[in-house]
Each structure stands twice: as structure tokens, then as C-alpha cells.
Amino acid sequence: MFEKLFRKKSITKILEDAEKGYGEHGTSLHKTLGVRDLTAFGIAAIIGAGIFSTIGKASADGGPAVIFLFIFTAVACSFAAFAYAEFASMVPVSGSAYTYSYVAFGELVAWIIGWSLIMEYSIGNITVAISWSDYFTGLLSSIKIPALGIKGIHVPDWATMDYLSAYNGHKHAEALVNAGKSFANLDDATRIANNAWITAPKIGGFHIVADLPALGIIIFITWLIYRGMKESRNASNAMVVVKLAVILLVLAVGIFYVDTANWNPFAPNGVSGVLKGVSAVFFAYIGFDAISTTAEECKNPQRDLPKGMMWAIIICTILYVAIALVLTGIVNYSLLAVGDPLAFVFDHINLKLMSGIIAVSAVFAMASVLLVFQMGQPRIWMSMSRDGLLPKSFSKIHPKYQTPSFATIVVGFVVAIPSLFMNLTIVTDLCSIGTLFAFVLVCAGVLVLQNKPNIQRGKFKTPYVNSKYIVPVVFIAVLILGFTNYKKETNAFIFNTPRVYEPVHFITSLNPSELELVKGEIKNSSVKINTAENQDATAYLNGLSEDQYQNFMDQSTVNVEKKYESGWGLFKHKIPMWIFLIICLVIIYYCITKNLSLIPVLGLISCLYMMCELGISNWIGFGIWLIIGLVVYFLYGYRHSKLGKQNSPAV
């Protein structure tokens, strides 16, 4: 039983099957892609939500020093890209990390990685569809044609967001208003969510809240993918040209408005401020691996796939760093915590035309990301179907369009329906953790195959540097740094020191009597700020310095459980980091004993670290997703596996 779960596919057999076109439906994929097309697909996948949205929040947290986070994330992705490129050169077929894991680890791990890739592509596309909807509705509202009496095309708020966000926004708004904040002073996101809930049509007591623009763009993109790779390539290339032209225009115009005084201080919130945006910045890079799913449609995959991946990451990193420097140079970093930072900075300097151009280009940028992600998932399912782990229908190739037609339609439904109802934050983090897990296994796969002499190698191989001494020394140096420069934070982590809740969490968790008690304590506090006169408790607490806030919470008579996170409630958030540290020790052992290659080791460690930054709730969600996947595997995949049937003795 155990051996059957980890049965492996040989590279020779995979390549033989690919040469035969797999023979299931008599049609193979159309080979049309070169290096330029692959690079464009990579740029299409990477330049999207990151540069038009998440770069703002990351810059607000880290200041101009956020460029180091972009560089760190790019380097981490580059380590993973080396591993992807080596596998793509060895196994130039569709399937990406799924196929690579089948070769390195065996069937069960391959299934797990294929299942987790559904989180990257399908759930990632839900994220992008929701973001695209926000940009599109914002663009419509900015359309003004006085001659026709048009003062903006406004889509009702209840038709532009998910049910959970509207409900939570309404409850959050009620709590803040009860704490003394007026509706006019609510942040935009809370105010819009509250309005969506209040104005939504009802059936009985049920509020109808659904993101309709997200549904529309998914239907269009699915149709485009269904029609063929050539059409998808042409659409992707056109959208890439548009958004690159706009980004270069932003840089060319914005550089003349840069005030270098805004770069001082360069890292206002230190290392912790920079690292705070790690999840958002990583999400800006996911998708480069989608290039590897197109291997069978490449003219020369062993040569072109590695080049396409590397060029895409290099070009996108340069653009991210340049944009971050321009944004933080035009306005102070603290003003950039907005959903549309590029448009915002040009509004700030009264260049309305530029902000309009950016709004239009953002719609194209997000659509191109949707295109690449929506193209990748059917090809993963097609590969799994070819191996018998999914029904044959998923590997059916359309006789005219030469695309995995059935899988494409199913992916359309899988993405479209949840995009109506799911919360953006939830799907973003789930997408990131699924992607990072794939990166970790691909890097580990290269290490597993490193010293096996009977493995057929491709034209590209990751440069070898012995990690035997480098990795242990770096780990020891990090430990020394933690116990010296960051002694307080390190001790708090090890000894699980109670941590005070953030002001908004604290205020919104209070019942009415506790809230009145805190208002009284604010009124009698020796620290006076303007907002205290209006009894806006949240604004008052946010206006205190870190030491003042800590002192206020220490003296408050509110129940201690409401003020501090401690015990198991605090420790559970540290579990991913403890897992990371334990795995690092295991990796160091194998680096010393097996002389592992440095680049994939660094890729594994850096991607695993970013997984740990996503928090325990996302690990639990990911774990539940994997358990569901294992149930599906044992009910269907294990019994229908072609590799299992080939290895079974004849009866």
C-alpha cells in the first residue's frame, strides 16, 4: 500500500507519452509559443494587482525601503524559478509542479501538489476577478459626459462585493459608531460595505449581495481561453503592451515630481515595517510558474521556458522597484495606504488626465492576469486526467480549437460562482499559501533528484554551489542577531509574552457597558488629544504613542482577556514559525550530510518562511483543503491511476 502511494513516473515514459500525444482523444495541443510569448505571459501574470493596488499598502507600511521587500521576494521567486526551469527542461510537458512532483516524490505528493495548484490558479483568479471588479466599477463611476448629462455610471454597492464583506462591514460600522465615530468619518471600505448591506434587495430576511462585474469578466475570459492558445496569446500580448506603455509613462512623468525629501527616512518603520507587506508583495509575483503549464505549446520548451521565466521576473522586479521609488518620492509614504496608489499620487499633484489613463490601464492589467491564470488551471487538470487521477473528460482536447475544452469550462464555473460571494482577503491568503507550497515542493524535488545518476537531464541545470557551510553559518548568524539586536522580540516569541490587542480590535470587542467604561477612562486620562473631546474612542487610542497606548491598557479596568492576547490564543499564531525553525534544522542536517545545492535550498527556505508569515488561520484552511483533496484521491484517483494499473500484475 505504502509503495503504491509513492509510485513514480519516469521521465522517459512521460516524454514518450508526450510524443504520442497521449492518444486519449486523438488531438494534441498546438505548438505556437516562443521566448517572447512566454515572457509576455509571465509579465501578464505578474504585473497586475501588485503594481496597481498592493504596492500602495506595502509602501505605507515599509516606506521607500519596501523596494528591498520587492527585491527579496523576487530573489526568492528566482530561486524557485531555477527549480521550475530545471524541471521544465527535464520534463517539457503540461502539468507544472504536479508533473515534476510525480517524477521526484511519487503519486500521492503529485496529487497533493496538483490539488494545491487549484488554490493558486482557481482561487487566485477569484482574487483577481474581485480586484478587477473594483477597478472597473471605479472607472465607470469616473466617466463624466456633461453634454449627455452623464455624471458617472454608478453600479449599486450591493452588486460589487461579496455577502460576507457587506455583513462584516455593517457590523464593524455599527461597533465604531457606538464607540463615538460618525458615519462620515468611517473609512471608505467600511462605509461602502455598510451601504451595500443596508441598500441590498431582500428576499425574506436574506440580503442579496453579489459581485456581478467579477462574474462577467470570468465568463469573457473563459470564452477567450476556450477559443484557443493563439487567440489567448494575441490578447495577452496586446494587454501587456498597453500596461507596460502606461507604466513607462507613469515613470517618465512621475520622475519630474519626485521630491527626494520624501525618501527620508528611508525605512521609517524599520525591518518589521518592511516585512509587514510580505504577503501582499508575494501575491504580486505569483503566476510566473503559469508559464510552465504551457510547455506542450512551446516550440522549443527546453530552451525557451527557462528564459521566459527569468526574463519575466527580472523585468517585473525592475518595474516594481522603479514604481515604488516614484510613488514614495511624489508623496509621503504614509499617504499611500489606498487601493489605487498610482491614480492617487497623480490626483494628489493635480494631473487628472494621468490618473484617468492609469484607471483604464488597470482594467487591462487585471484582465491579462485573469487570462494567464485561467489558462493555467485547465492544463493542470488535463495532466492529472491523463494520469487517470481525474475523469477522462478533463483531458479532452477540442478538435477545432486544440484546447482542453471541458476542463476550461469547468474552471470557468469553479472561478465564476465563488467570485460572486467570496471575501477578497480570504482568497488572497489561500492563493498565496497554495502557491508557496508548490514552490517549496518543486525546490525540494530538484534536491531529491540532485545526485541520482539515472535521471535524464534537460538542457538547463541549476548552477551548483555547495550549501554545506553557507546555510549553517547563515542560520547561526540569524540566531545571534535575534538574541542581540532583537532580544526583546525574540524573548517574547520564545516565552509567549502576552501581546496587547490593536485599538480597533479592542474597541469592537467590547460590550456596551465595557465601552462606556473605556469612554470614561479616556475622558479622565491625563493624555489629551483633540479626538478625545468627541469621545471617538478608536481615534483617541490610535492617536496615542506605543508607550502611551500600552500604559492606558495596563491601567484600564476592562477584563484582561479583552485587552491582551495570551496563552494558547497567542501561541497558535506562532506554530507556523516553529514548524519553519524545525524544518530549517532538518535542512541544515541534509546540507551537511548530502552537500545539497544552494539555490534550491535557499528557494525552499525563503518560500517556507513566507508561508509562515501568512498565519495559522490560513494554514488551517489549507489543511482542510488538502484533507478534502485526499478524500477525492482515495475515492477516485488511487483506483483509476494509470501508473497503478501498469504496475499491477496481470490477472
Side-chain angles (χ1 to χ4, degrees), residues 591-609:
C591 286
I592 295 171
T593 58
K594 302 292 185 181
N595 297 317
L596 298 180
S597 178
L598 179 64
I599 290 177
V601 166
L602 293 178
L604 194 161
I605 291 174
S606 55
C607 291
L608 187 61
Y609 170 76

Side-chain angles (χ1 to χ4, degrees), residues 129-130 132-133 136 159 211-224 370 412 415-417 419-420:
I130 295 170
W132 183 92
S133 174
F136 182 68
D211 199 333
L212 298 182
L215 175 66
I217 188 62
I218 288 297
I219 292 173
F220 172 74
I221 293 294
T222 301
W223 170 80
L224 190 62
L370 280 168
V415 175
I417 302 305
S419 69
L420 288 168

Side-chain angles (χ1 to χ4, degrees), residues 23 73 101 171 242-243 364 387 483 546 552 576 596 629 650:
T73 308
S101 296
K171 291 298 181 184
V242 169
K243 65 183 175 183
F364 283 99
D387 295 327
F483 283 104
E546 184 177 341
F552 177 88
L596 298 180

Side-chain angles (χ1 to χ4, degrees), residues 337-562:
V338 293
D340 53 348
L342 268 66
F344 168 79
V345 295
F346 285 103
D347 263 343
H348 190 78
I349 56 178
N350 295 316
L351 291 181
K352 304 293 184 183
L353 178 61
M354 279 293 295
S355 63
I357 292 172
I358 290 166
V360 174
S361 67
V363 171
F364 283 99
M366 305 301 283
S368 68
V369 178
L370 280 168
L371 179 69
V372 177
F373 274 38
Q374 200 74 349
M375 179 184 64
Q377 181 58 65
R379 285 152 179 80
I380 301 290
W381 283 355
M382 179 184 69
S383 296
M384 297 173 78
S385 174
R386 286 169 168 176
D387 295 327
L389 304 185
L390 288 176
K392 287 184 179 180
S393 300
F394 284 93
S395 58
K396 181 179 180 180
I397 307 298
H398 195 284
K400 179 180 178 181
Y401 301 132
Q402 295 180 306
T403 58
S405 51
F406 178 79
T408 300
I409 293 172
V410 173
V411 169
F413 278 102
V414 167
V415 175
I417 302 305
S419 69
L420 288 168
F421 309 111
M422 287 194 74
N423 179 274
L424 183 61
T425 303
I426 294 172
V427 291
T428 300
D429 288 341
L430 283 176
C431 174
S432 295
I433 199 168
T435 305
L436 285 165
F437 185 65
F439 288 4
V440 166
L441 283 187
V442 171
C443 292
V446 169
L447 296 173
V448 168
L449 299 180
Q450 172 185 305
N451 297 319
K452 292 189 176 180
N454 58 339
I455 295 296
Q456 181 176 336
R457 304 289 174 180
K459 296 179 181 178
F460 179 87
K461 194 173 188 304
T462 304
Y464 177 79
V465 178
N466 195 335
S467 63
K468 184 173 185 177
Y469 303 107
I470 298 174
V471 172
V473 169
V474 170
F475 186 77
I476 292 170
V478 170
L479 287 180
I480 293 172
L481 185 66
F483 283 104
T484 53
N485 292 26
Y486 299 96
K487 185 176 181 179
K488 180 181 177 182
E489 293 85 349
T490 302
N491 286 336
F493 175 81
I494 294 173
F495 298 109
N496 206 39
T497 306
R499 181 174 60 190
V500 66
Y501 282 116
E502 295 292 324
V504 172
H505 182 281
F506 170 62
I507 291 297
T508 55
S509 69
L510 301 177
N511 61 41
S513 60
E514 290 170 332
L515 183 58
E516 289 303 316
L517 177 62
V518 170
K519 284 183 178 180
E521 291 173 342
I522 290 174
K523 189 175 182 179
N524 297 324
S525 174
S526 59
V527 180
K528 301 295 181 183
I529 58 177
N530 292 334
T531 53
E533 298 173 4
N534 301 324
Q535 291 297 290
D536 184 347
T538 308
Y540 173 83
L541 295 178
N542 276 322
L544 298 176
S545 68
E546 184 177 341
D547 289 338
Q548 288 171 338
Y549 179 61
Q550 182 71 55
N551 186 54
F552 177 88
M553 295 294 275
D554 288 340
Q555 295 180 5
S556 176
T557 55
V558 173
N559 194 310
V560 68
E561 284 79 13
K562 293 287 182 79

Side-chain angles (χ1 to χ4, degrees), residues 183-255:
F183 276 106
N185 290 329
L186 293 174
D187 62 273
D188 287 343
T190 302
R191 181 174 47 78
I192 292 171
N194 180 63
N195 186 59
W197 183 259
I198 294 172
T199 59
K202 301 177 185 176
I203 298 178
F206 182 78
H207 294 244
I208 300 174
V209 184
D211 199 333
L212 298 182
L215 175 66
I217 188 62
I218 288 297
I219 292 173
F220 172 74
I221 293 294
T222 301
W223 170 80
L224 190 62
I225 298 293
Y226 183 87
R227 287 296 304 270
M229 176 56 76
K230 186 176 181 181
E231 290 77 4
S232 303
R233 178 197 65 188
N234 293 341
S236 173
N237 289 348
M239 287 187 277
V240 166
V241 169
V242 169
K243 65 183 175 183
L244 285 183
V246 170
I247 289 169
L248 293 175
L249 178 64
V250 167
L251 293 174
V253 174
I255 197 170

